[in-house]
Amino acid sequence: RLAPMLLHQATLTITDAQQMDERWPTMMVTMIPDGARFTFEINQTAAKTAGLTFSSKLLRLARKVK
């Protein structure tokens, strides 16, 4: 319920939900367990909609950038 209200807010949204789909368009970073570590995916479209940008260094570290 909270996610749609954050769509145009400059608020970084992070989740660890395993199933990301069209129901979660405002989630910008998804944390994914990888053994004893975590990797992450970035939804750059959601970030741009909220007026946020990620550094190129962070984007290079991401497992996937949408």
Side-chain angles (χ1 to χ4, degrees):
R1 286 182 269 177
L2 182 60
M5 294 185 323
L6 298 174
L7 185 59
H8 296 287
Q9 300 289 324
T11 302
L12 179 64
T13 53
I14 302 173
T15 185
D16 63 352
Q18 294 299 309
Q19 294 291 353
M20 294 301 293
D21 55 32
E22 62 278 350
R23 293 176 296 164
W24 302 98
T26 60
M27 290 301 138
M28 298 171 200
V29 180
T30 304
M31 303 300 294
I32 302 159
D34 185 16
R37 299 177 150 195
F38 278 88
T39 59
F40 61 95
E41 297 179 356
I42 293 180
N43 182 342
Q44 209 167 10
T45 303
K48 285 182 181 179
T49 299
L52 300 174
T53 58
F54 294 107
S55 73
S56 60
K57 291 179 183 180
L58 184 64
L59 293 174
R60 282 194 301 265
L61 293 173
R63 182 173 92 168
K64 182 177 179 182
V65 177
K66 300 176 189 177

